[in-house]
Amino acid sequence: EKPQALLVRQIAQQMRDVKAEGRNILWVGGPAVIHTGGARAMVALVEAGYVDILFAGNALATHDIEAALYGTSLGVDLNQGRGVEHGHEHHIRALNTIRKAGSIADAVEQGVLTGGIMHALVTQDKDFVLVGSVRDDGPLPDVYTDVIEGQRAMRGQLGNVGFCLMVATTLHSIAVGNLLPAWVRVACVDISPATVTKLMDRGSTQTVGIVSDAEPFLRALVAELEASGGREPPGANLQGEGG
């Protein structure tokens, strides 16, 4: 029972302040960003300069690519909200498409991948670190399968981070919270209040929590940044066309 609109407004202001300071905004995302239809808003944020680094697992990237190639996420049509015939195959086909291309960046360069969050990160020259788990399909060729190497890669991206948004991922959020210095401001967004509680209980006491599904939060954040005007990063454009 918190004033969600006010919290979103405060997060938007913190993002503008961090960019004005010349520091980076780190995002930690789970596949629910894609499942809930939040990719379009996320692409807009990437293209506007509000996403400098993305930490995620195999799933977010895989289902983002699935959505870009097939219009589905875990076989569910994102425009109609229902499963499609043979949709359960789509994420495996998406994985194999990227593996055939060589990497996510190679797929973008070859014109195989033309939309979505991962496409936007590549075309905007933003960094991402994907660290997998034992339950992953594939995984994508860009995914670290050695978690120690993956953790080193994540640590290597933290030097200039001034603000971190964690959206729809319990385990990745806690993992990144354990890596962040205490002075880095954190916003954790999840449909489950337990995620915010777990994060704070494990030492990330600087966290502000919002209980919300991913897509409504991302859409509200884009709307707030659009409405504020005047203080976006150079080249900001929040009218993203991502799938």
Side-chain angles (χ1 to χ4, degrees):
E1 296 179 355
K2 293 182 179 180
Q4 304 282 36
L6 174 62
L7 292 176
V8 171
R9 192 172 308 122
Q10 291 173 343
I11 289 171
Q13 184 60 53
Q14 288 179 331
M15 292 169 71
R16 291 192 296 268
D17 291 345
V18 165
K19 296 305 297 182
E21 294 166 4
R23 303 186 73 82
N24 289 336
I25 299 175
L26 166 67
W27 288 73
V28 185
V33 170
I34 314 302
H35 300 332
T36 60
R40 183 181 298 274
M42 193 74 188
V43 167
L45 291 164
V46 174
E47 293 179 344
Y50 286 111
V51 182
D52 296 296
I53 309 157
L54 173 69
F55 289 174
N58 181 64
L60 180 146
T62 296
H63 294 300
D64 173 64
I65 293 164
E66 175 195 347
L69 297 178
Y70 299 102
T72 62
S73 184
L74 263 183
V76 175
D77 188 304
L78 290 172
N79 290 320
Q80 301 181 26
R82 61 171 183 261
V84 300
E85 188 174 4
H86 302 300
H88 64 285
E89 301 175 356
H90 287 178
H91 75 284
I92 299 296
R93 294 185 183 279
L95 281 162
N96 288 337
T97 297
I98 301 303
R99 292 179 73 85
K100 182 178 179 180
S103 69
I104 295 171
D106 289 337
V108 172
E109 184 178 351
Q110 295 166 24
V112 173
L113 182 62
T114 59
I117 298 169
M118 303 311 297
H119 173 269
L121 290 168
V122 171
T123 56
Q124 297 296 314
D125 197 26
K126 301 300 183 181
D127 293 317
F128 58 87
V129 180
L130 308 176
V131 183
S133 73
V134 71
R135 64 186 182 274
D136 286 339
D137 289 322
L140 289 163
D142 301 81
V143 172
Y144 285 91
T145 55
D146 182 323
V147 294
I148 302 302
E149 290 300 316
Q151 187 185 84
R152 289 193 184 111
M154 292 163 72
R155 288 183 187 278
Q157 294 288 343
L158 299 180
N160 195 41
V161 170
F163 188 54
C164 178
L165 290 101
M166 303 175 173
V167 183
T169 170
T170 302
L171 298 179
H172 235 80
S173 293
I174 293 170
V176 175
N178 290 340
L179 301 179
L180 288 172
W183 55 263
V184 175
R185 291 163 286 179
V186 176
C188 180
V189 182
D190 203 282
I191 196 66
S192 170
T195 297
V196 180
T197 302
K198 286 180 180 178
L199 186 67
M200 295 181 70
D201 284 351
R202 282 156 177 78
S204 300
T205 54
Q206 74 272 35
T207 303
V208 172
I210 294 183
V211 179
S212 171
D213 215 348
E215 190 277 339
F217 167 75
L218 292 168
R219 180 159 36 90
L221 182 60
V222 168
E224 182 61 43
L225 288 165
E226 285 180 333
S228 64
R231 295 188 64 187
E232 287 81 6
N237 170 21
L238 286 162
Q239 300 297 326
E241 298 297 331

